[in-house]
Amino acid sequence: SSSYPLSGPTHQHFSYSLCLAVEMLRSPAAALLRRLAPRLTGCSGGAGSSTRQSLPPYISSSSSFLARFSSTPTSPPPPSSVGARDDEAEDDKLQGSSSDSGARLSISVDRAGLYSPPEHSHEPSSDSDLVKHLKSIIKFRSGPISIAEYMEEVLTNPQSGYYMNRDVFGESGDFITSPEVSQMFGELIGVWAMCLWEQMGKPEKVNLIELGPGRGTLLADLLRGSAKFVNFTKALNINLVECSPTLQKVQYNTLKCEDESVGDEKRTVSKLCGAPVYWHASLVQVPSGFPTIIVAHEFFDALPIHQFQKGSRGWCEKMVDLAGDSSLQPL
């Protein structure tokens, strides 16, 4: 409106500027101006004024457009109903514009960090039963397992564990321990155990526990070396902590065990010293309440462990997971 000084009728100059602005603005703004125009034109002529302003030649081409803002109706329907329909139409356009802009909104999710299991294959696999079992545990949990759990499955899995179904000791096994080399090692341990019993005050009953007795060679040498100390061997309750059924049978034979009936109960006795022998899958199953002597040779180095390493984020536990080719890999 700066090109037209506000002299003379103010409404005339404002109406011209209003029409020019409407032509340049988009439909939402035009709808707003169409609502304001009747109010502005109605207040310019005063009460009862029926004078209609003439348009300059240079905007006469917009007369049809201005007719929409005129206070004089150009068609039979009343001005209020025409304006209402125009307003409703423009409101619909505005709502459509808003809904269109809303439809353009979208949400994207980055799935790069999610686990993507390989496609299932029906091809024959060269994996052993134990490897298949480990993979099934990882897939079922949708995440890695600890080193401790991995070791426990590898060593003591009931079907495929390393120690569970075969004798791995001695010349026919995978390695040889010191009791397999000379009986002197076990006999010295027997003398040490007898001296310890005397230091305890020679209790009438004492638990002699061996953790991971292997083939039973060390304990057999211990009992033979202490067989001359009758009071000591009479006080013994022998408890073997062994989870392998196969090795339990080997130990039974090595200790020259026999089953005998005592009243209504049966018990296993070693003929090397006449002491009763009991097997347990874990240490917590061993009866308590008696003085105890524990022997464990090359046992702790075979226990499952939790392993940790220090990285950029601090200390983290090492785990075992599946690689992209479905092979086991440490993390």
Side-chain angles (χ1 to χ4, degrees), residues 3 14 30 46 50 63 74 114 124 153 160 205 235 243 293:
S3 60
F14 183 79
S50 59
S63 58
T74 57
L114 299 179
E153 289 292 338
S160 307
K205 289 296 178 182
C243 62
I293 301 173

Side-chain angles (χ1 to χ4, degrees), residues 72-151:
T72 303
T74 57
S75 58
S80 59
S81 61
V82 174
R85 285 197 298 272
D86 290 343
D87 292 345
E88 292 177 359
E90 292 302 329
D91 289 343
D92 293 340
K93 292 181 180 179
L94 288 173
Q95 293 177 1
S97 176
S98 300
S99 62
D100 291 343
S101 62
R104 288 195 296 269
L105 296 177
S106 62
I107 299 175
S108 61
V109 178
D110 183 9
R111 296 180 172 85
L114 299 179
Y115 173 68
S116 298
E119 295 184 1
H120 180 71
S121 175
H122 295 280
E123 295 293 330
S125 174
S126 59
D127 294 338
S128 64
D129 292 339
L130 180 58
V131 172
K132 292 178 181 178
H133 176 66
L134 290 169
K135 290 181 178 180
S136 66
I137 294 177
I138 295 173
K139 291 178 180 179
F140 178 76
R141 296 183 182 178
S142 299
I145 60 176
S146 65
I147 296 290
E149 187 171 1
Y150 174 82
M151 290 182 63

Side-chain angles (χ1 to χ4, degrees), residues 46-94:
S49 174
S50 59
T51 304
R52 186 171 181 177
Q53 305 291 342
S54 59
L55 300 178
Y58 46 80
I59 59 171
S60 59
S61 60
S62 303
S63 58
S64 60
F65 183 83
L66 291 172
R68 302 174 65 181
F69 297 94
S70 175
S71 59
T72 303
T74 57
S75 58
S80 59
S81 61
V82 174
R85 285 197 298 272
D86 290 343
D87 292 345
E88 292 177 359
E90 292 302 329
D91 289 343
D92 293 340
K93 292 181 180 179
L94 288 173

Side-chain angles (χ1 to χ4, degrees), residues 288-304:
S288 58
F290 296 107
T292 301
I293 301 173
I294 299 179
V295 178
H297 179 61
E298 296 192 20
F299 171 74
F300 295 103
D301 55 347
L303 292 180

Side-chain angles (χ1 to χ4, degrees), residues 22-245:
V22 169
E23 290 183 351
M24 293 184 292
L25 294 176
R26 303 171 75 177
S27 60
L32 179 61
L33 292 174
R34 279 195 295 275
R35 292 186 181 186
L36 295 176
R39 295 180 176 86
L40 294 175
T41 56
C43 66
S44 63
S49 174
S50 59
T51 304
R52 186 171 181 177
Q53 305 291 342
S54 59
L55 300 178
Y58 46 80
I59 59 171
S60 59
S61 60
S62 303
S63 58
S64 60
F65 183 83
L66 291 172
R68 302 174 65 181
F69 297 94
S70 175
S71 59
T72 303
T74 57
S75 58
S80 59
S81 61
V82 174
R85 285 197 298 272
D86 290 343
D87 292 345
E88 292 177 359
E90 292 302 329
D91 289 343
D92 293 340
K93 292 181 180 179
L94 288 173
Q95 293 177 1
S97 176
S98 300
S99 62
D100 291 343
S101 62
R104 288 195 296 269
L105 296 177
S106 62
I107 299 175
S108 61
V109 178
D110 183 9
R111 296 180 172 85
L114 299 179
Y115 173 68
S116 298
E119 295 184 1
H120 180 71
S121 175
H122 295 280
E123 295 293 330
S125 174
S126 59
D127 294 338
S128 64
D129 292 339
L130 180 58
V131 172
K132 292 178 181 178
H133 176 66
L134 290 169
K135 290 181 178 180
S136 66
I137 294 177
I138 295 173
K139 291 178 180 179
F140 178 76
R141 296 183 182 178
S142 299
I145 60 176
S146 65
I147 296 290
E149 187 171 1
Y150 174 82
M151 290 182 63
E152 183 177 0
E153 289 292 338
V154 170
L155 297 177
T156 60
N157 179 273
Q159 283 74 38
S160 307
Y162 178 75
Y163 290 111
M164 300 305 289
N165 300 308
R166 64 192 184 103
D167 181 7
V168 298
F169 303 97
E171 294 182 1
S172 59
D174 295 333
F175 55 90
I176 298 175
T177 59
S178 51
E180 304 290 339
V181 176
S182 171
Q183 73 275 11
M184 185 179 295
F185 182 84
E187 291 172 352
L188 290 175
I189 298 297
V191 173
W192 167 82
M194 187 275 300
C195 293
L196 187 59
W197 172 73
E198 290 183 344
Q199 293 174 8
M200 291 178 176
K202 298 181 180 180
E204 293 183 1
K205 289 296 178 182
V206 60
N207 279 339
L208 177 62
I209 303 174
E210 184 174 6
L211 306 178
R215 303 177 70 183
T217 304
L218 185 150
L219 185 58
D221 294 337
L222 183 154
L223 296 176
R224 276 194 295 264
S226 59
K228 295 180 180 180
F229 304 96
V230 179
N231 292 334
F232 171 66
T233 56
K234 284 183 178 180
L236 291 179
N237 285 326
I238 301 174
N239 294 272
L240 304 181
V241 178
E242 178 60 67
C243 62
S244 170

